[in-house]
Amino acid sequence: MKEINRVTYGRTSVYNLNYHLIWGTKYRNRVLKGNVEAVLKRILYE
């Protein structure tokens, strides 16, 4: 995925809002497998 720099300008401020998602599962089992992981990543980037 390409990096997009999105800066928002307000009346008195400039900001860039980012999110960091953590999926913690019991015993660290992989839940998102195969194509599901790729599709979810694409949706979240959009």
Side-chain angles (χ1 to χ4, degrees), residues 9-43:
Y9 298 92
R11 246 178 74 167
T12 60
S13 61
V14 178
Y15 58 92
N16 182 357
L17 183 61
N18 295 299
Y19 296 93
H20 180 79
L21 301 176
I22 298 174
W23 296 63
T25 60
K26 190 171 183 178
Y27 305 118
R28 297 181 185 250
N29 292 333
R30 292 187 61 97
V31 175
L32 305 175
K33 296 180 182 179
N35 194 32
V36 176
E37 181 179 4
V39 171
L40 180 60
K41 282 182 181 179
R42 189 193 62 196
I43 291 170

